[in-house]
Amino acid sequence: MMVKSAAKYIVLLGPPGAGKGTQAQIISKEMNLAHVSSGDIFRENLKQETELGKLAQTFMRRGELVPDDVTIAMIQERLTRPDCQAGALLDGFPRTPAQAEALSKMLAKWGAEVNLVPYIFVDANILIERLSGRWTCPVCGLVYHEKYNPPITPGICDNDGAVLYQRDDDKPETVKRRIDVYLTQTAPLIEYYRLKGLLVEIDGTLSIDQVAKNILAAIEEKVAN
Ligand code: AP5
């Protein structure tokens, strides 16, 4: 049996466009913790044209959730890789009560648990503007915004010079559906984790740097070393 009792698991919760991916990139580097993004793993599978990628695409293009069983198995496999030995910063998972229960069961088997859930909250009108101005690097995954976090050269990644792209599911009608799906299927996790004493509310409307500082301060205060 794998034992990971000293490992730390932090779950970033929040609506589409709240800044989970942006913050995960900063915080995983600061804490030297693996960044595990369910959306990124699905997009990588899509690029590689795997069966999982083809299945996920049918849901992602409509702004719907990929079924729980497939998603849970994928994350469980990801969390057993060597780079997750010290734990992980989870971005986009769990997203339903069934996923949250499955996560806590798999961590309990390893002698570990979810340590903190920073919930990044942002109003729906801001989310739409954020997602329509988002540009992503296809190579390193860095996320930019044409107004709030622009690359030095428009359309080009600062890190590796790749041409940035806009995600298919950032079209306005798909964004609206993703927000509805979040409100009905994922928002119940706010109370779920609050009742467990793990939730910490983070104002996602502040600057990217300030949000990162607030999340890191909450981790410092509440997660034992
Ligand atoms: P996923 O990739 O997880 O997308 P999401 O949760 O909808 O979140 P986003 O990546 O859109 O937003 P974000 O919060 O990471 O914001 P970001 O940092 O980019 O999921 C995509 C799809 O995959 C789902 O719809 C579903 O089909 C499937 N899926 C994934 N996980 C699943 C699961 N567990 N179960 C089932 N299906 C699943 O920021 C957004 C923009 O805002 C950027 O341009 C950024 O530069 C800017 N920005 C960020 N912070 C700030 C700030 N403080 N001020 C100003 N601008 C900011």
Side-chain angles (χ1 to χ4, degrees):
M1 190 184 82
M2 191 166 50
V3 178
K4 305 212 284 181
S5 48
K8 301 290 173 230
Y9 293 90
I10 293 165
V11 169
L12 287 182
L13 191 62
K20 301 181 295 297
T22 301
Q23 293 303 326
Q25 282 166 350
I26 300 171
I27 288 155
S28 62
K29 216 180 267 173
E30 281 286 324
M31 295 187 65
N32 204 13
L33 205 54
H35 172 196
V36 172
S37 157
S38 42
D40 284 354
I41 304 174
F42 286 134
R43 281 184 288 279
E44 190 51 37
N45 274 276
L46 195 63
K47 210 158 77 182
Q48 310 288 336
E49 298 181 358
T50 67
E51 286 309 311
L52 174 63
K54 285 178 206 159
L55 173 82
Q57 189 188 27
T58 60
F59 297 93
M60 291 169 84
R61 69 151 69 104
R62 297 198 305 261
E64 308 281 343
L65 296 185
V66 179
D68 281 338
D69 53 346
V70 177
T71 307
I72 291 165
M74 175 184 88
I75 292 294
Q76 174 144 11
E77 187 281 323
R78 178 68 187 85
L79 292 178
T80 56
R81 297 215 196 145
D83 66 325
C84 293
Q85 192 54 39
L89 185 60
L90 288 148
D91 156 17
F93 182 93
R95 230 173 169 103
T96 63
Q99 292 181 14
E101 284 294 316
L103 177 64
S104 93
K105 278 194 194 132
M106 78 178 84
L107 296 185
K109 268 197 218 149
W110 301 335
E113 61 190 354
V114 171
N115 299 94
L116 195 71
V117 180
Y119 159 48
I120 308 176
F121 62 92
V122 174
D123 265 6
N125 56 337
I126 298 180
L127 300 175
I128 292 167
E129 194 206 357
R130 282 199 185 170
L131 294 176
S132 57
R134 168 165 66 185
W135 290 83
T136 306
C137 175
V139 177
C140 70
L142 263 185
V143 176
Y144 298 88
H145 191 280
E146 56 196 27
K147 192 157 133 199
Y148 303 118
N149 183 25
I152 297 164
T153 310
I156 302 294
C157 180
D158 295 346
N159 191 34
D160 53 33
V163 176
L164 304 177
Y165 78 102
Q166 285 198 292
R167 272 170 45 178
D168 269 358
D169 60 350
D170 281 348
K171 291 188 216 96
E173 63 281 9
T174 317
V175 166
K176 283 192 193 112
R177 181 69 194 133
R178 284 164 58 203
I179 293 172
D180 282 350
V181 167
Y182 167 81
L183 291 173
T184 53
Q185 300 191 50
T186 307
L189 294 185
I190 299 167
E191 281 315 302
Y192 175 91
Y193 282 120
R194 200 195 305 276
L195 286 172
K196 288 183 183 287
L198 293 171
L199 198 84
V200 49
E201 298 196 10
I202 302 287
D203 181 351
T205 61
L206 304 175
S207 71
I208 291 173
D209 285 352
Q210 192 56 55
V211 175
K213 277 190 193 133
N214 293 350
I215 296 175
L216 284 165
I219 294 172
E220 178 80 37
E221 186 194 328
K222 296 183 192 280
V223 180
N225 290 313

